[in-house]
Amino acid sequence: MARAKLPRSPSEGKAGPGDTPAGAAAPEEPHGLSPLLPARGGGSVGSDVGQRVQVEFYVNENTFKERLKLFFIKNQRSSLRIRLFNFSLKLLTCLLYIVRVLLDNPDQGIGCWGCTKYNYTFNGSSSEFHWAPILWVERKMALWVIQVIVATISFLETMLLIYLSYKGNIWEQIFHVSFVLEMINTLPFIITVFWPPLRNLFIPVFLNCWLAKHALENMINDFHRAILRTQSAMFNQVLILFCTLLCLVFTGTCGIQHLERAGGNLNLLTSFYFCIVTFSTVGFGDVTPKIWPSQLLVVILICVTLVVLPLQFEELVYLWMERQKSGGNYSRHRARTEKHVVLCVSSLKIDLLMDFLNEFYAHPRLQPCQQDYYVVILCPSEMDVQVRRVLQIPLWSQRVIYLQGSALKDQDLMRAKMDNGEACFILSSRNEVDRTAADHQTILRAWAVKDFAPNCPLYVQILKPENKFHVKFADHVVCEEECKYAMLALNCICPATSTLITLLVHTSRGQEGQESPEQWQRMYGRCSGNEVYHIRMGDSKFFREYEGKSFTYAAFHAHKKYGVCLIGLKREENKSILLNPGPRHILAASDTCFYINITKEENSAFIFKQEEKQKRRGLAGQALYEGPSRLPVHSIIASMGTVAMDLQNTDCRPSQGGSGGGGSKLTLPTENGSSSRRPSIAPVLELADSSALLPCDLLSDQSEDEVTPSDDEGLSVVEYVKGYPPNSPYIGSSPTLCHLLPVKAPFCCLRLDKGCKHNSYEDAKAYGFKNKLIIVSAETAGNGLYNFIVPLRAYYRSRRELNPIVLLLDNKPDHHFLEAICCFPMVYYMEGSVDNLDSLLQCGIIYADNLVVVDKESTMSAEEDYMADAKTIVNVQTMFRLFPSLSITTELTHPSNMRFMQFRAKDSYSLALSKLEKQERENGSNLAFMFRLPFAAGRVFSISMLDTLLYQSFVKDYMITITRLLLGLDTTPGSGYLCAMKITEDDLWIRTYGRLFQKLCSSSAEIPIGIYRTECHVFSSEPHDLRAQSQISVNMEDCEDTREAKGPWGTRAASGSGSTHGRHGGSADPVEHPLLRRKSLQWARKLSRKSNKQAGKAPMATDWITQQRLSLYRRSERQELSELVKNRMKHLGLPTTGYEDVANLTASDVMNRVNLGYLQDEMNDHHQNTLSYVLINPPPDTRLEPNDIVYLIRSDPLAHVTSSSQSRKSSCSNKLSSCNPETRDETQL
């Protein structure tokens, strides 16, 4: 209705469809016009159809004033040119003034232009002076013309800028200091054009220096705007201060020189000297102003200086302090001439910084003395006091640059010169309460760096595995939870895997502990220097001679001859790394070999000893039966960057007897039944003999996994299948062939402590598991926990070795996680906490062999540093007291807190180890904590120890891949896997590690890489240092009484509950108690003979009574703990038959704890302690000890599957005809 009443405009009624509306522009479309369809007017809609209206935008910029403003002010580049011209003009005027002063001679007369000149003299005794020398100067005609031209140009430019920048207040611009100075220096010259007598008038042109200073500041601002860079505020302030000082000195010099024309008639140099002496507050007094105008000028300049300079210095100091916080910039010139890497972190702690610097610069190519690499730290938080103190050390102050800034800002990335960086390390903040949010920040940083510097290599650390695929474009990625859970899982079946991997990924020269009197510390410290290196086979002295030979042949002979352990290789045409590809793999010159050694081959010198053969002949029998304190013959002497190797006799003669292939791999050969001859071992063949190798097709040969239930078992045997898990909890998990259930288990059956309609079991005892449990205590069922299950259910684990897994979770898992684990056999969960005894008993801790305590995310941060592990440490200490035979692996947030694990305040040996750790730290060791007994035994682990894996990948790009293969996170076809075997009394006929290497290579094609050794020590209760302790350190091989009883002990330990894989719970054997007592008394008597020869009988009796009382007190404490556990089990309705009374430990339990590496055995009255440690790649003549656990890299069972199943069956029947079926699946050979 209202629309119909609106009238049409006359122009609309007259205009046709193709006509141009009145008042519009021309038909052509000039620049800045845009057609719009259709412009709605006041008429009806129908009348607007087909009508076009052209609208002109930015019409205000088309005026002459706006175009001038655009050119002189708004446009950055043209404005920069105008300011540069203005600055040059002001400098020219100052230069012309100096020329005028130098050409002026007052002695020739003073007066106006065209007037008579007079000479004026100054009377020093009188205060009167003439003003004529001050008002008039001598100015040459040519000089006057130039100054007039320059003044005219400056005047016109100033007036134009005043016009363009006018904003309504003309008086503000007129009384501006710069405008006043311009008028003083330009208008008089213009006036002299029209009035010639004033051409000799003095004009203070030297004041143009202040206008030049102002123009310089504006020019620098325009310069940085033009090139889109933000100038340094520090640079600007320093420039302003310098220009201010220069202008003050120049103004004082010119002003005093001119005023003194009527006084002492000073020249420019003398005036400059006077100004410098005066402003520096020296004041020699040899030059002084004579008349009061010059004296007044000096007073004014001093007052101005006292006001202006303190303000300038205050601003400069403030900016300097802010720069110290933010770090300033990394010089682009330095970035082009030097190499640097950038470290991006959310918050920088001193531990993280020192770990990075020590590991990064540990490589010889990156050491600070080489002056090759700088480290630029980009962190959004302010540098704390500890980090600042460290970065002030001369070693790091010239190599490390701290920049406060964000990786999400291009300006900060430009400050760090990210585009010129050799690498960028992006680390996550693992101590954040919300680890997912920390990962999101890491992902954004990685994206920002990749967007800004696409060619810069990225090294990213991520926390959650589900976030890993967001940064898959990075060159190297380390997922913390993936590695952590896989390592903790292998700790349950391969003891101290965490220590083994940690030592491999740390850079060390093997010099730790070499000054210690303890033999185990020297051996352990020396072997800890072994790392993984690579070399092309055709260029290697180690492996070049084995071209065309099998991999196992090269591995054995390289270890025998050079002491290096060949663990894998990579084909030139294939990018995949293969660990122990097996004897069927023939080496080629183009292969890249990966080996473990104390240093790389390039830093090794080869020394051949002719007398080594005779020495070995003369000491053969003696060397075999010496104690473990004997130094190895095959020694690798580490020096600064170079290793000298003593090469032993490497004659590889075939064994005179038959091979020991029958029975188990380490079985004593029957051909050498004579006790006078050393048992022989079959030689390692140069080329693989398919008939001499066991078939490896585990998919087709299921006979080894068939389980025959015993008569007393009422449970039905569940058949497992081998396949890939159907559901992965996150994107990016590597597919692994595993043991699976034929049908997924219902979610209700996964709950351990509650029955359902499918079964009525409510405790671990009711399930009747044959193997001991593995319990994992975690806060939540994160996706990383999936990687704990996969290595324990991998296809190459025998079915008899599968241990039930119980997840003790604080929070209920979600359906997504249950869907991922329901396909695995014997995997259960239960809601509970590790600090609750009822939860531990319900989940079956008395039937468990391993308990893994995972660090909780909610406790990773604490108000006080290093207090995040307080609750975990106390809980683990409680569990150790309640269940002393349980193997507990603990994850800590801070590695330094491992000294509190199994803490005893009066343990003198732990105190001595603490002093040793401090000494190693002072010596600059990167592994100062390695001698802590819980770490050496693999009982404690911190994920921060694996940060060095990411740092090492900068110089060893293969380290992440090899580590993932060892942990079972990746399964490359043809690549082997990590496992372990135990040395029993029956295996000691092999005697040495080198013969074991030969036996394994010849029989099963396995590559040993290290030993997990456990020793028994006896310590006195008195505090001594390490030297005193070493005098009473007793090994099992040192005592003749122990050697006699070693056989039965070792046999029982091997068959009891302390075996490595697939162990069944063994009952208490009271017969073993007298043996344990007899050994304790024998050790005590031996100690008494050693240490108490000069002591009287009375002190011995007193000590013995004290020890007995302490033993009774401890026994009563153990009985109380035992009663507490039994009462809680009865209250929960759990059977107490499975709980072994801790007051009645058997020898098998003691030996089990020995294998677990715990420090203290509370049952022994004479403080019998055990310690365990890892020997990586020990020398070939290292003696084997009972209960040694050898780390092996076993070849892939599916790597060489033959096509004919008949040939597999015939080969299997020929090879396994003499094997004991009960030992065929065992890890011990």
Side-chain angles (χ1 to χ4, degrees), residues 309-328:
L309 290 186
L311 296 177
Q312 300 278 346
F313 277 111
E314 181 185 4
E315 187 70 19
L316 183 62
V317 171
Y318 174 76
L319 292 176
W320 175 260
M321 295 175 63
E322 292 296 323
R323 175 174 180 151
Q324 289 296 106
K325 296 179 182 179
S326 62

PDB file of all heavy atoms in Angstrom, residues 309-328:
ATOM      1  N   LEU A 309      69.248  14.240  28.376  1.00  0.00           N
ATOM      2  CA  LEU A 309      70.003  12.985  28.382  1.00  0.00           C
ATOM      3  C   LEU A 309      69.523  11.992  29.432  1.00  0.00           C
ATOM      4  O   LEU A 309      69.433  10.786  29.146  1.00  0.00           O
ATOM      5  CB  LEU A 309      71.495  13.282  28.558  1.00  0.00           C
ATOM      6  CG  LEU A 309      72.180  13.949  27.362  1.00  0.00           C
ATOM      7  CD1 LEU A 309      73.679  14.050  27.601  1.00  0.00           C
ATOM      8  CD2 LEU A 309      71.904  13.187  26.079  1.00  0.00           C
ATOM      9  N   PRO A 310      69.227  12.400  30.679  1.00  0.00           N
ATOM     10  CA  PRO A 310      68.693  11.397  31.616  1.00  0.00           C
ATOM     11  C   PRO A 310      67.406  10.741  31.131  1.00  0.00           C
ATOM     12  O   PRO A 310      67.199   9.537  31.334  1.00  0.00           O
ATOM     13  CB  PRO A 310      68.470  12.208  32.900  1.00  0.00           C
ATOM     14  CG  PRO A 310      69.457  13.306  32.820  1.00  0.00           C
ATOM     15  CD  PRO A 310      69.507  13.673  31.365  1.00  0.00           C
ATOM     16  N   LEU A 311      66.527  11.533  30.511  1.00  0.00           N
ATOM     17  CA  LEU A 311      65.311  10.929  29.950  1.00  0.00           C
ATOM     18  C   LEU A 311      65.648   9.916  28.859  1.00  0.00           C
ATOM     19  O   LEU A 311      65.044   8.842  28.775  1.00  0.00           O
ATOM     20  CB  LEU A 311      64.394  12.031  29.414  1.00  0.00           C
ATOM     21  CG  LEU A 311      63.841  13.019  30.461  1.00  0.00           C
ATOM     22  CD1 LEU A 311      63.014  14.092  29.768  1.00  0.00           C
ATOM     23  CD2 LEU A 311      63.019  12.275  31.499  1.00  0.00           C
ATOM     24  N   GLN A 312      66.596  10.267  28.017  1.00  0.00           N
ATOM     25  CA  GLN A 312      66.997   9.352  26.948  1.00  0.00           C
ATOM     26  C   GLN A 312      67.619   8.082  27.522  1.00  0.00           C
ATOM     27  O   GLN A 312      67.323   6.962  27.087  1.00  0.00           O
ATOM     28  CB  GLN A 312      67.999  10.055  26.017  1.00  0.00           C
ATOM     29  CG  GLN A 312      67.469  11.294  25.356  1.00  0.00           C
ATOM     30  CD  GLN A 312      66.645  10.965  24.121  1.00  0.00           C
ATOM     31  OE1 GLN A 312      66.685   9.849  23.641  1.00  0.00           O
ATOM     32  NE2 GLN A 312      65.896  11.936  23.628  1.00  0.00           N
ATOM     33  N   PHE A 313      68.482   8.245  28.518  1.00  0.00           N
ATOM     34  CA  PHE A 313      69.124   7.074  29.117  1.00  0.00           C
ATOM     35  C   PHE A 313      68.120   6.201  29.871  1.00  0.00           C
ATOM     36  O   PHE A 313      68.235   4.979  29.878  1.00  0.00           O
ATOM     37  CB  PHE A 313      70.246   7.529  30.063  1.00  0.00           C
ATOM     38  CG  PHE A 313      71.539   7.829  29.378  1.00  0.00           C
ATOM     39  CD1 PHE A 313      72.014   9.127  29.289  1.00  0.00           C
ATOM     40  CD2 PHE A 313      72.285   6.810  28.792  1.00  0.00           C
ATOM     41  CE1 PHE A 313      73.207   9.401  28.652  1.00  0.00           C
ATOM     42  CE2 PHE A 313      73.482   7.078  28.149  1.00  0.00           C
ATOM     43  CZ  PHE A 313      73.946   8.380  28.080  1.00  0.00           C
ATOM     44  N   GLU A 314      67.156   6.831  30.512  1.00  0.00           N
ATOM     45  CA  GLU A 314      66.137   6.057  31.210  1.00  0.00           C
ATOM     46  C   GLU A 314      65.348   5.191  30.225  1.00  0.00           C
ATOM     47  O   GLU A 314      65.084   4.019  30.470  1.00  0.00           O
ATOM     48  CB  GLU A 314      65.209   6.999  31.971  1.00  0.00           C
ATOM     49  CG  GLU A 314      64.125   6.263  32.743  1.00  0.00           C
ATOM     50  CD  GLU A 314      63.141   7.220  33.380  1.00  0.00           C
ATOM     51  OE1 GLU A 314      63.274   8.438  33.150  1.00  0.00           O
ATOM     52  OE2 GLU A 314      62.254   6.747  34.103  1.00  0.00           O
ATOM     53  N   GLU A 315      64.967   5.781  29.128  1.00  0.00           N
ATOM     54  CA  GLU A 315      64.252   5.013  28.103  1.00  0.00           C
ATOM     55  C   GLU A 315      65.122   3.907  27.531  1.00  0.00           C
ATOM     56  O   GLU A 315      64.656   2.794  27.278  1.00  0.00           O
ATOM     57  CB  GLU A 315      63.799   5.965  26.992  1.00  0.00           C
ATOM     58  CG  GLU A 315      62.909   5.322  25.946  1.00  0.00           C
ATOM     59  CD  GLU A 315      61.537   4.981  26.491  1.00  0.00           C
ATOM     60  OE1 GLU A 315      61.150   5.552  27.531  1.00  0.00           O
ATOM     61  OE2 GLU A 315      60.861   4.141  25.883  1.00  0.00           O
ATOM     62  N   LEU A 316      66.404   4.219  27.371  1.00  0.00           N
ATOM     63  CA  LEU A 316      67.311   3.210  26.833  1.00  0.00           C
ATOM     64  C   LEU A 316      67.492   2.039  27.807  1.00  0.00           C
ATOM     65  O   LEU A 316      67.484   0.873  27.403  1.00  0.00           O
ATOM     66  CB  LEU A 316      68.664   3.856  26.525  1.00  0.00           C
ATOM     67  CG  LEU A 316      69.730   2.953  25.888  1.00  0.00           C
ATOM     68  CD1 LEU A 316      69.247   2.456  24.535  1.00  0.00           C
ATOM     69  CD2 LEU A 316      71.045   3.701  25.751  1.00  0.00           C
ATOM     70  N   VAL A 317      67.636   2.352  29.092  1.00  0.00           N
ATOM     71  CA  VAL A 317      67.785   1.288  30.095  1.00  0.00           C
ATOM     72  C   VAL A 317      66.519   0.442  30.176  1.00  0.00           C
ATOM     73  O   VAL A 317      66.583  -0.795  30.289  1.00  0.00           O
ATOM     74  CB  VAL A 317      68.136   1.900  31.458  1.00  0.00           C
ATOM     75  CG1 VAL A 317      68.083   0.838  32.561  1.00  0.00           C
ATOM     76  CG2 VAL A 317      69.516   2.534  31.418  1.00  0.00           C
ATOM     77  N   TYR A 318      65.385   1.079  30.111  1.00  0.00           N
ATOM     78  CA  TYR A 318      64.126   0.333  30.141  1.00  0.00           C
ATOM     79  C   TYR A 318      64.020  -0.622  28.950  1.00  0.00           C
ATOM     80  O   TYR A 318      63.642  -1.790  29.097  1.00  0.00           O
ATOM     81  CB  TYR A 318      62.955   1.308  30.157  1.00  0.00           C
ATOM     82  CG  TYR A 318      61.610   0.637  30.036  1.00  0.00           C
ATOM     83  CD1 TYR A 318      61.033  -0.023  31.114  1.00  0.00           C
ATOM     84  CD2 TYR A 318      60.917   0.657  28.824  1.00  0.00           C
ATOM     85  CE1 TYR A 318      59.801  -0.641  30.997  1.00  0.00           C
ATOM     86  CE2 TYR A 318      59.681   0.047  28.700  1.00  0.00           C
ATOM     87  CZ  TYR A 318      59.129  -0.604  29.790  1.00  0.00           C
ATOM     88  OH  TYR A 318      57.917  -1.223  29.670  1.00  0.00           O
ATOM     89  N   LEU A 319      64.352  -0.094  27.791  1.00  0.00           N
ATOM     90  CA  LEU A 319      64.312  -0.948  26.605  1.00  0.00           C
ATOM     91  C   LEU A 319      65.351  -2.055  26.674  1.00  0.00           C
ATOM     92  O   LEU A 319      65.131  -3.169  26.189  1.00  0.00           O
ATOM     93  CB  LEU A 319      64.523  -0.102  25.344  1.00  0.00           C
ATOM     94  CG  LEU A 319      63.383   0.859  25.005  1.00  0.00           C
ATOM     95  CD1 LEU A 319      63.757   1.707  23.811  1.00  0.00           C
ATOM     96  CD2 LEU A 319      62.105   0.078  24.721  1.00  0.00           C
ATOM     97  N   TRP A 320      66.491  -1.755  27.271  1.00  0.00           N
ATOM     98  CA  TRP A 320      67.519  -2.781  27.421  1.00  0.00           C
ATOM     99  C   TRP A 320      67.050  -3.908  28.340  1.00  0.00           C
ATOM    100  O   TRP A 320      67.276  -5.082  28.065  1.00  0.00           O
ATOM    101  CB  TRP A 320      68.800  -2.151  27.955  1.00  0.00           C
ATOM    102  CG  TRP A 320      69.877  -3.153  28.242  1.00  0.00           C
ATOM    103  CD1 TRP A 320      70.226  -3.676  29.452  1.00  0.00           C
ATOM    104  CD2 TRP A 320      70.723  -3.782  27.275  1.00  0.00           C
ATOM    105  NE1 TRP A 320      71.232  -4.584  29.314  1.00  0.00           N
ATOM    106  CE2 TRP A 320      71.567  -4.666  27.985  1.00  0.00           C
ATOM    107  CE3 TRP A 320      70.856  -3.677  25.898  1.00  0.00           C
ATOM    108  CZ2 TRP A 320      72.528  -5.444  27.356  1.00  0.00           C
ATOM    109  CZ3 TRP A 320      71.818  -4.461  25.270  1.00  0.00           C
ATOM    110  CH2 TRP A 320      72.633  -5.317  25.987  1.00  0.00           C
ATOM    111  N   MET A 321      66.384  -3.550  29.423  1.00  0.00           N
ATOM    112  CA  MET A 321      65.849  -4.571  30.311  1.00  0.00           C
ATOM    113  C   MET A 321      64.764  -5.383  29.616  1.00  0.00           C
ATOM    114  O   MET A 321      64.698  -6.612  29.760  1.00  0.00           O
ATOM    115  CB  MET A 321      65.303  -3.912  31.580  1.00  0.00           C
ATOM    116  CG  MET A 321      66.371  -3.229  32.431  1.00  0.00           C
ATOM    117  SD  MET A 321      65.681  -2.350  33.840  1.00  0.00           S
ATOM    118  CE  MET A 321      64.951  -3.708  34.741  1.00  0.00           C
ATOM    119  N   GLU A 322      63.922  -4.707  28.867  1.00  0.00           N
ATOM    120  CA  GLU A 322      62.905  -5.436  28.123  1.00  0.00           C
ATOM    121  C   GLU A 322      63.523  -6.321  27.058  1.00  0.00           C
ATOM    122  O   GLU A 322      63.056  -7.432  26.799  1.00  0.00           O
ATOM    123  CB  GLU A 322      61.931  -4.445  27.471  1.00  0.00           C
ATOM    124  CG  GLU A 322      61.067  -3.700  28.459  1.00  0.00           C
ATOM    125  CD  GLU A 322      60.148  -4.638  29.216  1.00  0.00           C
ATOM    126  OE1 GLU A 322      59.655  -5.600  28.617  1.00  0.00           O
ATOM    127  OE2 GLU A 322      59.941  -4.413  30.426  1.00  0.00           O
ATOM    128  N   ARG A 323      64.597  -5.849  26.468  1.00  0.00           N
ATOM    129  CA  ARG A 323      65.275  -6.667  25.467  1.00  0.00           C
ATOM    130  C   ARG A 323      65.901  -7.887  26.097  1.00  0.00           C
ATOM    131  O   ARG A 323      65.928  -8.971  25.516  1.00  0.00           O
ATOM    132  CB  ARG A 323      66.324  -5.826  24.748  1.00  0.00           C
ATOM    133  CG  ARG A 323      67.150  -6.635  23.767  1.00  0.00           C
ATOM    134  CD  ARG A 323      68.073  -5.782  22.955  1.00  0.00           C
ATOM    135  NE  ARG A 323      68.838  -6.602  22.036  1.00  0.00           N
ATOM    136  CZ  ARG A 323      69.290  -6.195  20.873  1.00  0.00           C
ATOM    137  NH1 ARG A 323      69.019  -4.972  20.484  1.00  0.00           N
ATOM    138  NH2 ARG A 323      69.990  -6.978  20.104  1.00  0.00           N
ATOM    139  N   GLN A 324      66.445  -7.703  27.309  1.00  0.00           N
ATOM    140  CA  GLN A 324      67.012  -8.852  27.996  1.00  0.00           C
ATOM    141  C   GLN A 324      65.947  -9.904  28.272  1.00  0.00           C
ATOM    142  O   GLN A 324      66.222 -11.102  28.255  1.00  0.00           O
ATOM    143  CB  GLN A 324      67.650  -8.415  29.321  1.00  0.00           C
ATOM    144  CG  GLN A 324      68.926  -7.616  29.152  1.00  0.00           C
ATOM    145  CD  GLN A 324      70.022  -8.437  28.496  1.00  0.00           C
ATOM    146  OE1 GLN A 324      70.338  -8.250  27.325  1.00  0.00           O
ATOM    147  NE2 GLN A 324      70.582  -9.366  29.243  1.00  0.00           N
ATOM    148  N   LYS A 325      64.725  -9.450  28.515  1.00  0.00           N
ATOM    149  CA  LYS A 325      63.636 -10.399  28.728  1.00  0.00           C
ATOM    150  C   LYS A 325      63.203 -11.052  27.425  1.00  0.00           C
ATOM    151  O   LYS A 325      62.966 -12.256  27.365  1.00  0.00           O
ATOM    152  CB  LYS A 325      62.450  -9.687  29.375  1.00  0.00           C
ATOM    153  CG  LYS A 325      62.744  -9.133  30.771  1.00  0.00           C
ATOM    154  CD  LYS A 325      61.523  -8.415  31.329  1.00  0.00           C
ATOM    155  CE  LYS A 325      61.826  -7.827  32.698  1.00  0.00           C
ATOM    156  NZ  LYS A 325      60.655  -7.091  33.248  1.00  0.00           N
ATOM    157  N   SER A 326      63.072 -10.238  26.388  1.00  0.00           N
ATOM    158  CA  SER A 326      62.580 -10.773  25.110  1.00  0.00           C
ATOM    159  C   SER A 326      63.673 -11.394  24.269  1.00  0.00           C
ATOM    160  O   SER A 326      63.396 -12.215  23.400  1.00  0.00           O
ATOM    161  CB  SER A 326      61.897  -9.666  24.303  1.00  0.00           C
ATOM    162  OG  SER A 326      62.826  -8.641  23.989  1.00  0.00           O
ATOM    163  N   GLY A 327      64.925 -11.027  24.495  1.00  0.00           N
ATOM    164  CA  GLY A 327      66.017 -11.669  23.783  1.00  0.00           C
ATOM    165  C   GLY A 327      66.492 -10.944  22.546  1.00  0.00           C
ATOM    166  O   GLY A 327      67.478 -11.357  21.955  1.00  0.00           O
ATOM    167  N   GLY A 328      65.802  -9.934  22.100  1.00  0.00           N
ATOM    168  CA  GLY A 328      66.291  -9.227  20.920  1.00  0.00           C
ATOM    169  C   GLY A 328      66.071 -10.009  19.647  1.00  0.00           C
ATOM    170  O   GLY A 328      65.106 -10.751  19.490  1.00  0.00           O
TER     171      GLY A 328
END
